[in-house]
Amino acid sequence: MLAFAIFVVTLVFVVWQPRGLGIGWSALAGAAVALATGVVGWHDVGTVWALVWDATFTFVALIVISLILDEAGFFAWAALHVARWGGGDGRRLFPLIVLLGAAVAAVFANDGAALLLTPIVLAIVLRLNVAPATAMAFTVACGFIADTASLPLVVSNLVNIVSAQFFAVPFDRYAAVMVPVNLVSVGATLLVLWVWFRRDIDVRYSLQALQAPDTAIRDAAVFRAAFPLLGALLLAYFATGPLGVPIAAVTGAAALLLVGIAGRWTRGGRGARIAVARVLRGAPWQIVLFSLGMYLVVYGLGHAWLTQAASAALRWLAAQGTFVATVGTGFAVAALASVMNNMPATLVGALAIDAAQLPAPTRELMLYANVVGNDLGPKFTPIGSLATLLWLHVLAGKGQRIGWGAYMKVGMALTPPVLLAALLALWVWLPLLR
């Protein structure tokens, strides 16, 4: 009960953030209490740090890359192109925006898609003078696709990185399994979003209200470097994976290179066009403290009883056959993520799978089902992921407030069919790769 109480209080402070208290400090305080009360020991700190450091610094590096490209106008340029491809028809623009969000989520992680692309899309649709309900439809679509399209690569979601590191899944193996599953997830997301918002997106807009995409580019050198850098980074992931090179080292090198390009001095002696220091200050450094602190708290909860209980549940699911094991695991961890946040839920699921001593084929299915459930499950509630909480905060700052009740109405309706489709795709596809 002590471990559970520490976890609940820590999660409340992480979600509440009283007086702007950073999520990292809240999580670290919870970890300190857990250490002081003996819920976890000092030897557990090293164990947890070994689990989270690569994932955490990879995530920070990806966000730094995203922020610099955003400052250079990369995402605005892409969104303006997509808006023109819509040809003035909201029903044509809607799927294009969803697919753009899926592409951004795959490469820049779900947080990059939710926090950087959403404000840009919102600004564009508001400039088109569409109805508030139409603007909200496009905004919500960006928020949802950011998570439901974050399956394909290890770097597409912090959940993926932690899971791949925990089970030592190579980058290429992960992609071979999850790219097809992600295509199904994106298709299902587009379908349910279309059905839900079909009346709101049936609008016409004037292309004259759109600025030329090239006018959005604020730093030509960074913009020109974007596509070659991203292509080289993707190739480096596949090339260095079998060599055991940490993903954080590869991503960090790309981030440093882009920081160097962005922080250059021009020939005329004028300073760089992107305030690199401000970008680096805006990077999510709190996530380093959050990962260590929250995972220590959850590790203590797992030691107390949760891992044993979850392992027993997984063994029961496994005994019912691979279909029940896959779908049951996915929905179980999705429910857990929706009430305790997907980051701690990922660790709980991984520890439970590791302790359950399952047959190898079933274990692998459950491993990936844990990822699917924790990537998609957070869309049930606003507290399911930090990305969603930050997304809601960003929208509120833009004057677009979405209450928890309104969010959950959409989340409860849209998430189950997408989650089921992705899990079914996993159940069908993974055995074919063996």
Side-chain angles (χ1 to χ4, degrees):
M1 291 303 297
L2 177 60
F4 182 71
I6 292 172
F7 168 75
V8 170
V9 173
T10 303
L11 184 60
V12 167
F13 274 85
V14 166
V15 174
W16 181 23
Q17 297 182 46
R19 297 183 180 274
L21 181 66
I23 59 172
W25 298 119
S26 297
L28 211 58
V33 174
L35 282 167
T37 55
V39 170
V40 293
W42 284 104
H43 61 281
D44 293 322
V45 176
T47 301
V48 170
W49 181 245
L51 290 174
V52 304
W53 77 267
D54 194 10
T56 302
F57 286 111
T58 298
F59 176 78
V60 172
L62 279 173
I63 295 301
V64 168
I65 292 172
S66 301
L67 290 171
I68 290 176
L69 291 180
D70 183 51
E71 288 288 323
F74 180 82
F75 297 111
W77 171 86
L80 285 167
H81 268 295
V82 167
R84 289 183 175 276
W85 294 342
D89 187 348
R91 292 170 300 180
R92 182 179 174 185
L93 177 62
F94 190 76
L96 290 173
I97 289 293
V98 171
L99 293 176
L100 175 63
V104 173
V107 179
F108 300 99
N110 59 327
D111 296 80
L115 303 182
L116 300 177
L117 186 60
T118 299
I120 293 170
V121 171
L122 177 62
I124 290 175
V125 295
L126 290 177
R127 187 170 181 176
L128 297 177
N129 294 319
V130 297
T134 301
M136 188 58 63
F138 282 92
T139 304
V140 170
C142 284
F144 269 77
I145 196 63
D147 281 326
T148 59
S150 65
L151 294 169
L153 304 176
V154 169
V155 295
S156 300
N157 195 312
L158 191 54
V159 164
N160 309 356
I161 306 174
V162 171
S163 300
Q165 292 291 329
F166 188 95
F167 292 104
V169 179
F171 193 92
D172 55 348
R173 173 63 179 180
Y174 180 93
V177 174
M178 296 300 266
V179 166
V181 175
N182 188 71
L183 292 176
V184 173
S185 180
V186 170
T189 302
L190 180 55
L191 177 61
V192 297
L193 286 171
W194 180 277
V195 172
W196 187 267
F197 292 115
R198 63 189 183 279
R199 294 186 180 88
D200 296 323
I201 63 175
D202 187 11
V203 296
R204 300 290 302 179
Y205 62 91
S206 173
L207 296 178
Q208 301 300 320
L210 295 169
Q211 67 186 91
D214 289 348
T215 62
I217 300 173
R218 295 191 291 271
D219 191 313
V222 171
F223 180 83
R224 286 194 300 268
F227 287 109
L229 178 71
L230 295 175
L233 180 59
L234 185 59
L235 291 175
Y237 286 141
F238 284 99
T240 59
L243 303 177
V245 178
I247 298 177
V250 178
T251 315
L256 287 175
L257 177 59
L258 196 61
V259 166
I261 296 172
R264 74 199 182 283
W265 288 90
T266 60
R267 292 181 179 178
R270 298 173 59 187
R273 296 171 185 173
I274 295 177
V276 174
R278 177 171 55 82
V279 170
L280 293 177
R281 285 195 301 270
W285 300 109
Q286 282 277 324
I287 199 69
V288 178
L289 303 179
F290 172 81
S291 294
L292 178 60
M294 199 69 187
Y295 270 32
L296 271 172
V297 172
V298 174
Y299 205 71
L301 186 59
H303 275 323
W305 58 272
L306 188 55
T307 298
Q308 183 178 358
S311 293
L314 292 180
R315 284 193 294 269
W316 183 88
L317 289 171
Q320 313 309 308
T322 58
F323 174 79
V324 174
T326 304
V327 176
T329 300
F331 271 90
V333 298
L336 192 64
S338 68
V339 298
M340 74 180 299
N341 190 268
N342 65 337
M343 289 308 299
T346 298
L347 182 59
V348 170
L351 291 171
I353 293 168
D354 193 49
Q357 297 182 341
L358 303 166
T362 304
R363 183 177 183 269
E364 190 176 23
L365 276 168
M366 284 186 162
L367 180 169
Y368 288 107
N370 184 48
V371 173
V372 173
N374 280 299
D375 278 1
L376 275 60
K379 306 314 293 182
F380 280 118
T381 66
I383 66 171
S385 71
L386 291 174
T388 300
L389 289 170
L390 293 173
W391 176 72
L392 291 171
H393 178 73
V394 168
L395 289 181
K398 302 291 183 179
Q400 301 290 320
R401 296 187 178 276
I402 303 178
W404 281 31
Y407 178 92
M408 290 183 65
K409 179 182 178 182
V410 179
M412 290 292 184
L414 301 187
T415 305
V418 178
L419 179 58
L420 179 60
L423 291 169
L424 289 176
L426 173 64
W427 177 67
V428 171
W429 175 246
L430 183 56
L432 297 178
L433 291 178
R434 296 193 181 112

